[in-house]
Amino acid sequence: MKYLDSKKLSDAQFKRYTSISRSTFSLMVEQMHMQIPSKGRPAKLCLEDQVFLCLSYWREYKTLFHVATSYGVSESTASRIVRQVEDTLS
């Protein structure tokens, strides 16, 4: 599920799907915006989708291949996104 699709979910459904509240998700995205430089080639996925990809990987225990396929990126890109989110938010 991508970020735009998640807007249709109620707050309870959002938390059930991601295991975090919308406010926590917003804080995570805000931290990503502050830490990631905006120069260079634009990313294929917006920061919200990158955080969603990472949460999906953590929550569902899918392989990077499956997560990458769901978001339309390569496995190496999914791996890089997960590492970047983990490094930024830790």
Side-chain angles (χ1 to χ4, degrees), residues 8-9 47 54 82:
K8 300 174 189 170
L9 299 175
L47 286 178
C54 192
V82 169

Side-chain angles (χ1 to χ4, degrees), residues 34-49:
M34 290 177 10
Q35 300 290 330
I36 305 298
S38 60
K39 60 183 180 179
R41 183 175 165 191
K44 184 172 183 181
L45 297 176
C46 64
L47 286 178
E48 290 85 356
D49 282 340

Side-chain angles (χ1 to χ4, degrees), residues 1 5 18 30 35-36 40 46 48 50 59 61 73 75:
M1 172 182 296
D5 299 330
T18 62
E30 184 179 318
Q35 300 290 330
I36 305 298
C46 64
E48 290 85 356
Q50 290 180 31
R59 174 104 167 127
Y61 297 109
V73 296
E75 188 174 358

Side-chain angles (χ1 to χ4, degrees), residues 53 64 68 73-84 86:
L53 182 147
L64 283 170
V73 296
S74 68
E75 188 174 358
S76 61
T77 299
S79 175
R80 190 171 47 253
I81 289 170
V82 169
R83 261 186 321 196
Q84 185 177 30
E86 288 174 343

